[in-house]
Amino acid sequence: MNRRDFFKAGGLLATGAAAGRLVQEIPLQRSAEAAGVSPAFAGLGDSTVAKPAAASRVEVIWRVETDRKLIALTLDDGPMPAYTSNYLDMLEDKGVRATFSIVGEPARQNPDIVRRQLRLGHQLENHSYSHLDLGTQSAAVATREVVRGAEILEALSGRRPAYFRPPKGMVSGAALAAVGTVGADVLMWSLQIHERIWTVAQNIEHIVSNAVPGTILLAHDAKHHSIDRRIGLQAMPVIIDRLRDRGYEFVTVTELVDAGLARVPSASPAPQPLEVK
C-alpha cells in the first residue's frame, strides 16, 4: 500500500494548500494523558516537549508551493557515524544545508555527530525514537516513539522539533495525535532517491528530471537492511551540481516553508513509490 492509499484507508486525506504547503490538515485535541508527558529517558529531567496546549491541528506536508526554484534536501535515519559523517563532509564541501530527520536512539549514542550537524547549520527534526513503523503500533508505543524522539532531540539541540518524519512514511491516528501533542507537523516528501531499484546514474536522472520548485527530496544517511546507501551518497553531489546549473537553490525545510506562496487551491501530489527503509 502506498502512502496516499494508507491515508485514504484511515479517512485522513484532505486536499488543499495552507500557507503555501501541499498538506493534509487533521484537527486534534491534545491531552496530557494521551501524550504521556513524563520524561522519556533517564537524565533528561523535566521536559517541556510534551506539555499540552488546548487544541491543535497537524499538517502533513508533502511539498511547498513557491515561485522560487528552491529544494529542501532531507536525510533520514541517522545519525550513523560512517554515512552521516560522509554526508556532512559532502554537504560542507558543496555549501548546502539540509534537514536531517533524527532517530532518537542513535542520536543518544552519537551526540558528537549531532553537535556537528548543528554547528554546520543543518536543521534537525524528529524521526521517532527507534524507527518503528508507527502504522502498525499500539497507541502507547506510537506515543512513546514520537514523544521520546522529540525529547531527545530537544535535549541535544536545545530546540523543540517542528516536524515529525514518520518512519517508512506510515502513521496511525494514535501517532498523529502524539505528533499534535508535541506541537509538530508531519513532514513527508515529494521526490526520493531509490537505492534499492536504481543505479547512481538512474537516480541522478530521476531526481534532476522530476525536481520542481518546492520539492522536498528524501535521501538517507544511515543503512537499514541490505539497501546500499552509497548509491545516494555518490549521486547527491552530481544532483546538487546539475540542479544548481538549472537555477535551483538548496534550503532547509523551514526556509522552504517560509518561501511558500499564500493560500492557493491545489490537489495533493501524485503518490511516489514507497521504498521500505
Side-chain angles (χ1 to χ4, degrees), residues 61-64 66 68-75 96-100 123 165 187-192 207 211-219 236 243 248-257:
I61 303 172
W62 300 83
R63 64 178 177 87
V64 172
T66 178
R68 298 172 58 189
K69 298 184 81 171
L70 302 177
I71 292 178
L73 169 60
T74 64
L75 292 150
V96 169
R97 288 177 299 113
T99 300
F100 287 83
Q123 182 173 338
R165 168 68 61 78
L187 178 64
M188 302 298 279
W189 60 92
S190 56
L191 195 60
Q192 76 174 101
I207 300 302
V212 297
T215 289
I216 297 175
L217 173 60
L218 169 64
M236 195 57 64
L243 286 174
Y248 282 94
E249 178 185 354
F250 284 83
V251 296
T252 65
V253 166
T254 292
E255 290 170 329
L256 184 64
V257 169

Side-chain angles (χ1 to χ4, degrees), residues 131-145 171-175:
H131 202 265
L132 297 178
D133 179 348
L134 300 189
T136 63
Q137 303 301 319
S138 67
V141 171
T143 299
R144 184 188 68 211
E145 285 289 309
V171 292
S172 62

Side-chain angles (χ1 to χ4, degrees), residues 127-180:
H127 196 38
S128 81
Y129 176 72
S130 56
H131 202 265
L132 297 178
D133 179 348
L134 300 189
T136 63
Q137 303 301 319
S138 67
V141 171
T143 299
R144 184 188 68 211
E145 285 289 309
V146 173
V147 173
R148 291 183 79 184
E151 288 181 334
I152 289 171
L153 190 51
E154 184 175 19
L156 291 171
S157 70
R159 62 173 288 273
R160 179 179 300 188
Y163 297 100
F164 177 77
R165 168 68 61 78
K168 304 180 177 68
M170 305 301 283
V171 292
S172 62
L176 287 168
V179 173

Side-chain angles (χ1 to χ4, degrees), residues 1-276:
M1 177 183 291
N2 64 40
R3 293 188 308 282
R4 170 179 273 188
D5 289 342
F6 179 81
F7 283 124
K8 281 183 176 177
L12 300 174
L13 184 62
T15 61
R21 289 155 279 188
L22 292 182
V23 303
Q24 299 163 35
E25 296 181 6
I26 303 161
L28 295 171
Q29 182 71 36
R30 298 179 184 174
S31 70
E33 293 78 13
V37 298
S38 60
F41 65 92
L44 262 184
D46 290 333
S47 171
T48 60
V49 172
K51 296 232 175 123
S56 183
R57 72 179 183 190
V58 171
E59 293 185 347
V60 183
I61 303 172
W62 300 83
R63 64 178 177 87
V64 172
E65 290 284 357
T66 178
D67 55 3
R68 298 172 58 189
K69 298 184 81 171
L70 302 177
I71 292 178
L73 169 60
T74 64
L75 292 150
D76 284 14
D77 297 356
M80 181 176 285
Y83 288 91
T84 306
S85 297
N86 287 336
Y87 260 108
L88 289 174
D89 290 343
M90 183 273 294
L91 293 171
E92 186 174 16
D93 181 65
K94 294 292 182 184
V96 169
R97 288 177 299 113
T99 300
F100 287 83
S101 300
I102 301 293
V103 180
E105 191 170 26
R108 291 182 64 196
Q109 298 166 356
N110 298 283
D112 289 343
I113 297 177
V114 176
R115 284 191 282 269
R116 184 185 177 198
Q117 291 170 313
L118 293 168
R119 188 170 63 251
L120 293 173
H122 298 294
Q123 182 173 338
L124 307 185
E125 299 298 344
N126 183 11
H127 196 38
S128 81
Y129 176 72
S130 56
H131 202 265
L132 297 178
D133 179 348
L134 300 189
T136 63
Q137 303 301 319
S138 67
V141 171
T143 299
R144 184 188 68 211
E145 285 289 309
V146 173
V147 173
R148 291 183 79 184
E151 288 181 334
I152 289 171
L153 190 51
E154 184 175 19
L156 291 171
S157 70
R159 62 173 288 273
R160 179 179 300 188
Y163 297 100
F164 177 77
R165 168 68 61 78
K168 304 180 177 68
M170 305 301 283
V171 292
S172 62
L176 287 168
V179 173
T181 299
V182 299
D185 289 324
V186 172
L187 178 64
M188 302 298 279
W189 60 92
S190 56
L191 195 60
Q192 76 174 101
I193 295 283
H194 292 281
E195 292 101 335
R196 187 191 296 273
I197 58 175
W198 287 330
T199 65
V200 171
Q202 288 171 323
N203 273 289
I204 292 170
E205 185 60 31
H206 171 67
I207 300 302
V208 173
S209 298
N210 289 281
V212 297
T215 289
I216 297 175
L217 173 60
L218 169 64
H220 299 85
D221 64 315
K223 184 175 182 180
H224 291 283
H225 311 295
S226 60
I227 301 173
D228 188 355
R229 298 303 187 195
R230 293 172 299 178
I231 291 174
L233 184 59
Q234 293 168 20
M236 195 57 64
V238 182
I239 290 170
I240 291 170
D241 288 344
R242 287 183 57 181
L243 286 174
R244 279 177 164 170
D245 288 344
R246 296 186 177 199
Y248 282 94
E249 178 185 354
F250 284 83
V251 296
T252 65
V253 166
T254 292
E255 290 170 329
L256 184 64
V257 169
D258 287 347
L261 299 172
R263 183 183 296 268
V264 292
S266 180
S268 293
Q272 295 286 321
L274 177 61
E275 177 182 314
V276 176

